[in-house]
Amino acid sequence: MRDALDELNREIDELEQEARFAELRARNLPLSVLGRSAARAAAGVPSFTLPQAEPTRGALGVDADAEREAAGGG
């Protein structure tokens, strides 16, 4: 019986430690991202870029920007 209680207490301690670690990691994540980004910039490594969006298309597949320009609204 005593062994089972000791094992249960160890598991509870481990879960509490994991929860504390997860909380610290979540709090430090933004700082880590900013730090890595700054280090890449200092090393001259380009940061990631988002792909450019395709032009929006109307219901019939027509380029909406070209459609506005053709109508004189562009």
Side-chain angles (χ1 to χ4, degrees), residues 1-65:
M1 179 74 156
R2 184 69 184 161
D3 289 340
L5 287 175
D6 288 343
E7 185 177 345
L8 183 60
N9 282 328
R10 277 193 300 273
E11 288 187 34
I12 289 171
D13 289 342
E14 287 176 14
L15 287 172
E16 287 175 340
Q17 186 175 1
E18 286 179 24
R20 283 192 300 270
F21 180 71
E23 182 181 342
L24 285 172
R25 188 175 54 218
R27 269 194 264 151
N28 290 330
L29 181 64
L31 293 176
S32 295
V33 170
L34 291 173
R36 288 180 182 190
S37 178
R40 279 193 304 271
V45 177
S47 185
F48 69 89
T49 57
L50 296 175
Q52 295 296 314
E54 292 293 320
T56 53
R57 305 255 179 227
L60 299 176
V62 177
D63 185 342
D65 293 332

